[in-house]
Amino acid sequence: MIEWGMATFWTGTRVRLRGIEPDDWTACMRFAAEQERLGDVLYPPRSAEGYRAWAREQAAADPGGDCFQLAVEAVDSGEIVGTIGVYHADPRAGWFEYGVTIGADHRHKGYASEAVVMLLRFMFAERRYHKCQARVFAHNEGSLALQHRLGFVEEGRLREHVFFAGRHHDLVVMGTLAQEFSHLHPASGL
């Protein structure tokens, strides 16, 4: 049984995961621009109205599915510092894929690690998935280091699998199993 105390399942010491609100569109637009500067896949520019529509759609989405996106909010300031979500899920095979984005001004503060642990704890314990997968661009050393710190292992490298910035890049497939995760990140109060 969870001992709720002052916190909830979705609130940690640094971050709170919550549904995306329509007003979050400006932060999400900023995060997308920062991802582009980091060498993420390049897309044509989206209008402000496109981001507003996306945020409204996320705010109205049914939270009962296995694929969803959440805002990562700093506990101390209430500011949205990133997003996290489950982007693909195969309930029959028991695996899901997640992604996390933290704004440039908020990196290296432990927000991503805490948010990922909360999300994976939910997917493994409550949704009963067996495996989590993350796909990371090989040049994204920060994200690769985060996955390793969280206990993910490299399962493969898709050579020259993605194309952006005028050339092909490798994609690293990383994974962790529910029992590996729970051993490294035991849930307190359960």
Side-chain angles (χ1 to χ4, degrees), residues 13 17 31 33 37 44 48 52 60 66 110 117 123 139 146 152 154 178 190:
T13 56
L17 303 186
F31 300 151
R37 284 192 294 276
R52 281 191 288 272
D66 288 339
V117 168
M123 293 300 288
H139 66 275
L146 170 67
F152 282 71
E154 185 172 326
L190 294 178

Side-chain angles (χ1 to χ4, degrees), residues 98-190:
Y98 93 97
V100 62
T101 298
I102 300 296
D105 294 345
H106 305 288
R107 293 188 186 122
H108 309 291
K109 296 180 181 178
Y111 295 148
S113 296
E114 190 172 77
V116 172
V117 168
M118 280 192 275
L119 178 72
L120 269 58
R121 195 168 280 150
F122 172 74
M123 293 300 288
F124 287 142
E126 298 298 318
R127 296 293 171 96
R128 300 183 184 145
Y129 278 88
H130 172 71
K131 179 179 181 180
C132 177
Q133 179 175 295
R135 294 171 177 252
V136 181
F137 296 127
H139 66 275
N140 189 339
E141 294 174 11
S143 188
L144 289 170
L146 170 67
Q147 305 310 321
H148 285 292
R149 280 194 312 273
L150 291 168
F152 282 71
V153 297
E154 185 172 326
E155 296 186 335
R157 180 177 293 257
L158 304 175
R159 297 177 308 132
E160 298 186 5
H161 190 72
V162 292
F163 184 85
F164 63 92
R167 63 186 194 96
H168 288 91
H169 299 266
D170 291 357
L171 187 68
V172 180
V173 180
M174 307 199 64
T176 188
L177 303 177
Q179 65 268 26
E180 295 168 341
F181 173 81
S182 63
H183 177 73
L184 290 173
H185 307 281
S188 61
L190 294 178

